[in-house]
Amino acid sequence: MEVKIYKDKQEVAEQFSNYFAKMVNGKEIFHVALSGGSTPKLIFDVLALEYGTKIDWTKIHFYWGDERCVPPTDNQSNYKMTVDHLFSKIDTPSENIHRILGENDPLGEAMRYSNLLEINLDRIEGVPQFDLVILGMGDDGHTASIFPREIDLWNAQEHCIVATHPDSGQKRVSINGSVINTAKAVTFLVTGSGKAEKVDEIHNRKENYAQYPASLVNPKSGNLIWFMDEAAAEALI
Ligand code: 6PG
């Protein structure tokens, strides 16, 4: 695991964009699972601004690690957030965008997406393998949409599962722990002081850190990088 700590969110965005551009450079095809929430907004803005014309977007296929079960036009939609901050600014073929259909029945969509991943991606011991999975971490230590209260979903048999947000009750479709840990590379994008406590507990293995799904991210490839700003990583500096 590698920890990269930068001054602020802007620098995290610039450095991650740099890393992403290098990763996709020269690849004939690249399958990436995006994270949602608010952290990616600035990251995607910078990626589009700095690399919008430098990356061959026709080689990149976009998926999501999780999606809220809402329509694609809903402000809660991770897909909509990505359109607003990335796809509206770059020239990516629509057939390269594989969104989770948040408007559909959650269980049926989890099954559909599981099958899509099996069809589109190489499989390692039966598990679809992404070239890159980008993750965020909630203030409660969740990642993708696997929350501490439903940590058993991490080891679900199905590649994609239906989760429930602990506060809002909102249904989510999420990839499971096996898909995450089978990826060739995994990056966390974690910024802001709200994450500092869980970053401290997880990275310094404090108290019951293993109860946090983010602590279970440990790709077999060994390629795990945490991109953080100083505010989130204050306990590690
Ligand atoms: C989502 C996610 C989720 C997110 C964390 C961090 O759909 O919300 O993908 O795992 O990455 O909750 O969210 P913020 O970036 O908003 O802090």
Side-chain angles (χ1 to χ4, degrees):
M1 166 172 64
E2 194 180 348
V3 173
K4 291 176 180 283
I5 301 170
Y6 299 106
K7 178 168 48 60
D8 55 21
K9 193 169 175 178
Q10 176 69 28
E11 196 180 357
V12 168
E14 289 162 2
Q15 293 296 330
F16 174 77
S17 298
N18 218 333
Y19 163 87
F20 183 80
K22 286 198 181 93
M23 236 193 156
V24 303
N25 185 33
K27 296 282 192 319
E28 261 321 293
I29 191 163
F30 191 85
H31 299 281
V32 56
L34 303 177
S35 60
S38 56
T39 301
K41 292 177 180 176
L42 176 62
I43 313 259
F44 291 165
D45 288 342
V46 170
L47 182 61
L49 183 68
E50 301 293 331
Y51 292 98
T53 56
K54 295 174 189 161
I55 288 176
D56 181 355
W57 300 100
T58 65
K59 310 289 189 194
I60 303 175
H61 285 254
F62 293 96
Y63 306 76
W64 278 263
D66 67 317
E67 180 59 280
R68 291 83 180 278
C69 293
V70 295
T73 51
D74 189 302
N75 283 327
Q76 283 278 318
S77 163
N78 288 334
Y79 165 75
K80 181 182 184 299
M81 181 273 288
T82 313
V83 169
D84 293 347
H85 292 274
L86 184 60
F87 296 148
S88 57
K89 304 172 188 175
I90 62 172
D91 190 14
T92 193
S94 56
E95 61 270 21
N96 287 25
I97 298 172
H98 311 281
R99 73 178 180 89
I100 296 172
L101 307 179
E103 66 274 30
N104 283 3
D105 158 64
L107 193 55
E109 180 56 19
M111 290 166 67
R112 184 195 73 86
Y113 210 66
S114 292
N115 291 333
L116 175 82
L117 297 185
E118 288 211 350
I119 293 164
N120 286 17
L121 305 181
D122 291 338
R123 270 174 270 164
I124 307 296
E125 294 169 13
V127 181
Q129 183 181 51
F130 282 105
D131 292 295
L132 174 63
V133 171
I134 301 171
L135 296 172
M137 183 188 74
D139 295 1
D140 62 355
H142 81 259
T143 193
S145 276
I146 299 185
F147 296 92
R149 233 172 49 178
E150 295 180 315
I151 197 163
D152 55 313
L153 290 175
W154 183 265
N155 295 310
Q157 285 304 306
E158 305 77 17
H159 305 316
C160 298
I161 47 88
V162 177
T164 304
H165 190 282
D167 302 327
S168 66
Q170 183 184 65
K171 292 297 180 190
R172 308 268 186 99
V173 172
S174 176
I175 57 177
N176 72 0
S178 296
V179 173
I180 291 171
N181 283 337
T182 298
K184 290 179 184 171
V186 179
T187 55
F188 268 108
L189 300 176
V190 178
T191 60
S193 55
K195 317 288 180 166
E197 185 188 62
K198 293 296 181 290
V199 167
D200 179 19
E201 286 186 56
I202 290 170
H203 285 260
N204 292 318
R205 295 173 179 264
K206 283 183 176 174
E207 288 138 33
N208 309 319
Y209 76 94
Q211 71 181 305
Y212 306 127
S215 75
L216 303 178
V217 176
N218 181 22
K220 297 183 188 74
S221 66
N223 294 333
L224 171 60
I225 303 179
W226 287 70
F227 286 84
M228 293 188 277
D229 63 2
E230 289 175 0
E234 64 175 1
L236 312 182
I237 299 169

